[in-house]
């Protein structure tokens, strides 16, 4: 079953097509990758899916229902959550309260504060941050800020999670831990689309990869097909 699909998705900034007539889909339960050079339109596509930006033309559907024209908070409450290329946390709030906001905002209206706090604590355990729950978010290392953002997104109870460069800036050990976290999230029944420049990660955890270049989709396929595509090698992977 396709949990997300887009047809003819287009967005211009002035006269520049940031995303141009892109068709895409994501199957329920998969980890899909989105790659391409800087400026290819990857984060713009995430912004269009999550309604941070408004489409110029095209349509996006989530679980068969048109979400084009909805507001970001409406799409989140339908079950689509995201992280950001540049971490966006509530810097001066304790780690636990960052996640608590997601629990109270998400798809379970009327949740009690006590239940939300228990859920938030459980998610901090899941992402490996229980020991820093009282720490101001700004005092976390970058890898832990990224984990916090993932926990806050999960607190909204998404069915689809958009991960924007979760592994950027991480060392090899941290990258391996992040790859394992992505797999565990999918094992919880959450579908994932991930933008990533760390090729080892994207090739290892994704079942299918889409490649953007100058806002256009130039390739789509399994990691093996993408790794051997002459066009992808030419514009992105290199020799």
């Amino acid at each position: 079953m396709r949990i997300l699909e887009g047809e003819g998705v287009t967005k211009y900034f002035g006269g520049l097509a940031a995303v141009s007539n892109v068709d895409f889909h994501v199957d329920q339960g998969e980890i899909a990758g989105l790659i391409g050079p800087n400026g290819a339109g990857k984060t713009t596509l995430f912004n269009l899916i999550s309604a941070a930006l408004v489409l110029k033309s095209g349509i996006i559907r989530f679980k068969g229902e048109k979400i084009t024209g909805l507001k970001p908070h409406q799409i989140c409450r339908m079950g689509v959550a995201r992280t950001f290329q540049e971490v966006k946390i509530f810097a001066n709030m304790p780690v636990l309260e960052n996640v608590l906001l997601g629990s109270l905002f998400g798809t379970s209206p009327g949740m009690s504060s006590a239940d939300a706090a228990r859920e938030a604590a459980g998610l901090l355990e899941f992402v490996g941050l229980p020991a820093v729950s009282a720490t101001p978010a700004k005092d976390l290392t970058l890898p832990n800020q990224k984990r916090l953002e993932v926990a806050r997104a999960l607190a909204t109870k998404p069915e689809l999670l958009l991960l924007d460069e979760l592994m950027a800036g991480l060392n090899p050990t941290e990258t391996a831990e992040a790859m394992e976290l992505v797999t565990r999230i999918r094992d919880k029944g959450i579908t994932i689309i991930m933008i990533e420049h760390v090729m080892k990660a994207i090739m290892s955890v994704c079942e299918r990869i889409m490649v953007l270049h100058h806002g256009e989709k130039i390739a789509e396929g399994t990691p093996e097909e993408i790794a051997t595509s002459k066009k992808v090698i030419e514009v992105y992977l290199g020799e």
Side-chain angles (χ1 to χ4, degrees), residues 29 31 35 43 45 61 68 74 83-84 86 111 121 125-127 129 181 185 188 195 213 217 229 235:
I31 303 175
I35 67 172
T43 294
L45 185 58
R61 296 184 181 89
T68 311
Q74 295 173 312
T83 66
F84 294 86
E86 295 183 6
M111 177 183 285
E125 184 82 37
F126 179 76
V127 302
L129 296 179
L181 176 60
I185 292 169
K188 285 169 68 77
I195 295 171
H213 183 52
K217 184 170 78 171
S229 163
V235 303

Side-chain angles (χ1 to χ4, degrees), residues 47-112:
N47 286 336
L48 293 170
I49 294 167
S50 62
L53 291 173
V54 178
L55 286 171
K56 177 176 176 60
S57 60
I59 188 169
I60 299 174
R61 296 184 181 89
F62 177 63
K63 297 198 299 185
E65 185 175 341
K66 177 183 171 184
I67 59 174
T68 311
L70 296 182
K71 300 296 185 184
H73 70 275
Q74 295 173 312
I75 290 173
C76 179
R77 284 189 167 140
M78 288 179 72
V80 180
R82 68 171 297 186
T83 66
F84 294 86
Q85 188 174 5
E86 295 183 6
V87 177
K88 297 184 186 299
I89 52 176
F90 297 102
N92 294 313
M93 292 177 63
V95 165
L96 181 65
E97 289 186 13
N98 267 265
V99 184
L100 190 57
L101 284 174
S103 297
L104 292 170
F105 176 82
T107 57
S108 299
M111 177 183 285
S112 72

Side-chain angles (χ1 to χ4, degrees), residues 39-223:
K42 306 180 297 296
T43 294
T44 299
L45 185 58
F46 269 22
N47 286 336
L48 293 170
I49 294 167
S50 62
L53 291 173
V54 178
L55 286 171
K56 177 176 176 60
S57 60
I59 188 169
I60 299 174
R61 296 184 181 89
F62 177 63
K63 297 198 299 185
E65 185 175 341
K66 177 183 171 184
I67 59 174
T68 311
L70 296 182
K71 300 296 185 184
H73 70 275
Q74 295 173 312
I75 290 173
C76 179
R77 284 189 167 140
M78 288 179 72
V80 180
R82 68 171 297 186
T83 66
F84 294 86
Q85 188 174 5
E86 295 183 6
V87 177
K88 297 184 186 299
I89 52 176
F90 297 102
N92 294 313
M93 292 177 63
V95 165
L96 181 65
E97 289 186 13
N98 267 265
V99 184
L100 190 57
L101 284 174
S103 297
L104 292 170
F105 176 82
T107 57
S108 299
M111 177 183 285
S112 72
S113 296
D115 286 343
R118 277 192 292 272
E119 183 177 89
L123 285 168
L124 288 180
E125 184 82 37
F126 179 76
V127 302
L129 296 179
V132 295
S133 62
T135 302
K138 65 183 179 183
D139 293 338
L140 298 184
T141 63
L142 176 62
N144 283 345
Q145 287 184 0
K146 287 173 176 279
R147 286 175 177 268
L148 172 57
E149 198 174 44
V150 170
R152 189 181 59 195
L154 292 175
T156 67
K157 295 185 175 61
E159 294 180 58
L160 174 67
L161 178 61
L162 315 180
L163 296 174
D164 196 345
E165 295 196 34
L166 176 64
M167 297 166 205
L170 305 189
N171 66 35
T173 299
E174 293 161 349
T175 298
E177 291 170 348
M179 289 165 60
E180 190 260 343
L181 176 60
V182 169
T183 302
R184 286 194 292 117
I185 292 169
R186 193 272 309 274
D187 290 346
K188 285 169 68 77
I190 298 169
T191 304
I192 295 170
I193 318 173
M194 55 187 294
I195 295 171
E196 201 52 69
H197 286 292
V198 180
M199 285 300 100
K200 177 184 177 183
I202 205 110
M203 295 293 177
S204 297
V205 302
C206 294
E207 289 106 332
R208 189 168 51 85
I209 298 170
M210 183 170 77
V211 188
L212 294 182
H213 183 52
H214 294 318
E216 298 181 351
K217 184 170 78 171
I218 63 166
E220 183 176 13
T222 65

